[in-house]
Amino acid sequence: MDHDWEPSVSRRAATIKDVARRAEVGVATVSRVLSGSGSVSAATRERVLRAVAELEYRPSALGRSLKTQRTGSIGLVLPEITDPFCAELAAGVLACARTLGEHVLLDVSHDDPVRETEIIDRLVEQRVDGVIAVPAGEPAGWRAALRTGVPVVFADRAVAGLPEIPAVLADDAAGVRSAVDYLAGLGHRRVGLLGTTTTGQAYRGDPGVREAAFRATLADRGLVPDEDLVVLARPGRDGAFAAVAGLFQSRPDLTAVLAATHLLGETAVLVARELDLRIPGDVSIVMIDDVPWAELCDPPLTAVGRPGRDMGHRACEVLLRDPARRDRGRPVVLPTELLIRGSCGPPAGMPGAAPRSPRTR
């Protein structure tokens, strides 16, 4: 067999025509063998597959997408990749996409609506098969994506005014209720809430839902929420530190606090140490989002676990495997779990309470 053409093949990627020439068949026959459709004799199939292996031929993804109208890729838009919860969510999406044969294109918005819109436009131009996003909160860019026909699924947050986009959420209200009920059951009556002013850095979920659940649970317990004990921090570490320090110093009668993010929970622990407040002797702390370092604290931090990995996996399933759910208009809500550790105890003066710090608060 004459292989005078082969040196040129070694310098470039082999094409389907090269395979057909090597196997001495037509291009249509190679296509039938690779697609598994049509009738091809066993001997011809073996010859074509041998040629594919020898030439290390890889079918063109572009050509396949033109034929199937699918690119085999989905977009994933996160506020931050270094955030532990976002990392878990991404792991869930990747695991599901891998089982369904999809490639994931990841980008980060930093909760900037302008950057998010740019990412959406680029993913639409790349003709992804769909987009999963923890949205920044602005609907305009997502409406534009919907007009192109690209399927979208939100995870962890839903955008007001876009009920047509399905969402996979954690049951934040139930998580907050379980935490406040637990603290109230220990005897705490002056419970503070550390929240955020926006859905900004390190804040997953809906802050309005968490604050509303906090207030409602206290009211159900016959406790009137003290407005001075509800503090909303600006996004970022500086804002978190200022909010926590201000609360602890202005309300020495505070006995417990619910931190609405893991950043605020971390900051509450650090500020308590700086002020020589013992946990839980002087103040009990519960945090939303269970992150790896929570168990390494001294004492380990009680936390409301939110299913980040399951949320990502389910969002990917809704996008790729369960398109009918995209038209149902109701979010998929996954349960949370209160993980009780050593950072909470009864307030001073109650049976079982740890001795309070001798410092004057």
Side-chain angles (χ1 to χ4, degrees):
M1 187 182 299
D2 185 5
H3 296 316
D4 291 341
W5 49 272
E6 287 183 0
S8 63
V9 173
S10 66
R11 293 193 296 270
R12 59 174 172 77
T15 68
I16 193 170
K17 291 182 179 180
D18 297 328
V19 174
R21 190 178 298 119
R22 169 69 71 91
E24 297 182 324
V25 297
V27 169
T29 300
V30 176
S31 179
R32 287 198 297 273
V33 170
L34 296 179
S35 65
S37 61
S39 176
V40 179
S41 70
T44 299
R45 183 182 303 278
E46 181 180 351
R47 199 160 67 246
V48 168
L49 294 177
R50 187 185 308 118
V52 168
E54 291 172 353
L55 296 176
E56 297 182 348
Y57 170 68
R58 297 291 183 271
S60 166
L62 177 60
R64 186 167 56 246
S65 68
L66 290 173
K67 181 177 180 180
T68 64
Q69 296 299 302
R70 292 180 62 85
T71 61
S73 62
I74 62 173
L76 174 60
V77 185
L78 298 176
E80 183 58 66
I81 192 58
T82 57
D83 178 80
F85 180 84
C86 286
E88 282 292 298
L89 192 148
V93 172
L94 289 168
C96 179
R98 189 176 299 114
T99 63
L100 298 178
E102 291 278 332
H103 177 65
V104 179
L105 305 177
L106 171 64
D107 212 330
V108 176
S109 70
H110 299 297
D111 271 322
D112 180 352
V114 174
R115 179 177 174 85
E116 182 178 76
T117 298
E118 293 172 353
I119 294 170
I120 298 168
D121 290 343
R122 185 162 60 250
L123 291 173
V124 170
E125 289 174 0
Q126 293 174 328
R127 299 183 182 276
V128 293
D129 297 334
V131 177
I132 298 169
V134 180
E138 294 295 329
W142 297 110
R143 287 198 182 100
L146 292 178
R147 286 194 293 269
T148 68
V150 173
V152 176
V153 174
F154 289 150
D156 196 36
R157 300 177 187 163
V159 176
L162 293 176
E164 65 271 34
I165 296 182
V168 180
L169 310 172
D171 194 347
D172 281 346
V176 170
R177 282 195 300 271
S178 66
V180 177
D181 275 337
Y182 173 61
L183 292 172
L186 289 173
H188 292 281
R189 296 297 179 265
R190 292 182 297 278
V191 181
L193 172 68
L194 291 166
T196 63
T197 56
T198 69
T199 55
Q201 298 174 20
Y203 202 113
R204 310 280 71 84
D206 186 338
V209 167
R210 296 183 188 183
E211 183 177 343
F214 174 81
R215 293 177 180 276
T217 307
L218 287 179
D220 290 343
R221 287 276 185 165
L223 303 174
V224 178
D226 189 329
E227 294 303 321
D228 290 343
L229 295 180
V230 177
V231 176
L232 304 182
R234 296 188 308 274
R237 291 189 176 276
D238 290 344
F241 190 90
V244 176
L247 176 62
F248 283 1
Q249 290 176 318
S250 66
R251 291 300 301 262
D253 58 333
L254 175 76
T255 63
V257 66
L258 171 63
T261 74
H262 61 78
L263 173 59
L264 287 167
E266 175 187 346
T267 306
V269 172
L270 295 175
V271 171
R273 289 175 179 171
E274 286 196 13
L275 296 177
D276 293 328
L277 300 177
R278 289 183 296 182
I279 305 170
D282 296 315
V283 61
S284 293
I285 298 176
V286 183
M287 176 179 70
I288 304 294
D289 274 341
D290 186 35
V291 292
W293 58 259
E295 289 188 283
L296 303 178
C297 284
D298 184 19
L301 209 59
T302 296
V304 175
R306 304 173 68 246
R309 187 178 294 259
D310 290 346
M311 195 178 298
H313 198 284
R314 190 70 187 96
C316 189
E317 286 186 329
V318 171
L319 184 72
L320 299 174
R321 184 181 289 169
D322 192 10
R325 183 177 288 277
R326 297 203 299 263
D327 299 324
R328 295 176 193 172
R330 292 194 306 273
V332 177
V333 180
L334 303 181
T336 55
E337 179 184 8
L338 179 64
L339 303 166
I340 297 174
R341 302 189 179 111
S343 65
C344 296
M350 295 194 65
R356 289 178 67 84
S357 169
R359 70 186 293 275
T360 301
R361 296 187 66 196

